[in-house]
Amino acid sequence: AGELHALCPSPINPCRMRLAGPDLLRALEEALLGEFIDKPIRGFGFRGYVLGTLAVDGLEISWDPEAPPYGKIHSLTVNGQDFDPDREYVVGTIDMFTFGVGYETIKNGKDIQYFLPEFIRDVLALELQHTQALLDCRKTRWTMTGTNHGTTG
């Protein structure tokens, strides 16, 4: 428990919501841009220094680092099915994003359910107890493509 707290000290709460396809895609595109990855964040229970990128599950994303901003993702599947921009998706995230901090389109989510008093590290602790979750963490979710690429990230 001490190691987990040291690795994940933020008192950030997990939540679930429905998020429109364009808002999800926008957040994923922003997660590829340095201006968001390196964005300083203060408050809202955040104990890090910069926003960082989005960790995802259930998604497979092919992207080109040489493409222009907001046009880097050229292939996206959700649970094995093609992404549909006209659909709403159930998304698990952190409460900080629902306040418009970081990836701002996530604040547009509907039917937000906050999980209290759990912290995100409590969810992580539960997942670390499941063998399949540990195996799944090795799945490639972001695949870099383009002229000089073909590697995964």
Side-chain angles (χ1 to χ4, degrees), residues 63-67 144-152:
W63 66 285
D64 183 351
E66 298 167 6
M144 199 181 331
T145 62
T147 327
N148 300 317
H149 303 285
T151 58
T152 57

Side-chain angles (χ1 to χ4, degrees), residues 8-132:
C8 193
S10 300
I12 290 178
N13 303 102
C15 63
R16 180 175 45 218
M17 66 174 67
R18 288 185 305 120
L19 191 62
D23 289 332
L24 175 58
L25 183 59
R26 176 80 177 200
L28 293 170
E29 285 280 359
E30 289 173 350
L32 297 169
L33 302 176
E35 64 200 67
F36 284 88
I37 295 168
D38 299 325
K39 183 178 184 176
I41 301 290
R42 300 280 186 271
F44 301 97
F46 186 71
R47 297 286 193 265
Y49 300 102
V50 296
L51 180 59
T53 193
L54 288 173
V56 299
D57 190 27
L59 303 179
E60 291 182 13
I61 305 158
S62 292
W63 66 285
D64 183 351
E66 298 167 6
Y70 301 100
K72 294 184 179 295
I73 295 174
H74 58 82
S75 174
L76 172 59
T77 62
V78 181
N79 295 322
Q81 297 186 359
D82 289 339
F83 173 76
D84 179 355
D86 296 323
R87 184 176 160 200
E88 288 185 332
Y89 290 92
V90 175
V91 173
T93 189
I94 57 176
D95 61 356
M96 180 178 91
F97 292 157
T98 69
F99 309 139
V101 176
Y103 298 103
E104 294 185 14
T105 58
I106 295 176
K107 73 179 176 197
N108 298 333
K110 300 176 186 170
D111 301 328
I112 300 171
Q113 178 185 5
Y114 296 98
F115 295 94
L116 302 168
E118 292 87 357
F119 296 129
I120 197 69
R121 71 175 156 269
D122 298 325
V123 174
L124 182 57
L126 287 173
E127 284 299 302
L128 288 171
Q129 295 177 32
H130 298 285
T131 303
Q132 190 59 49

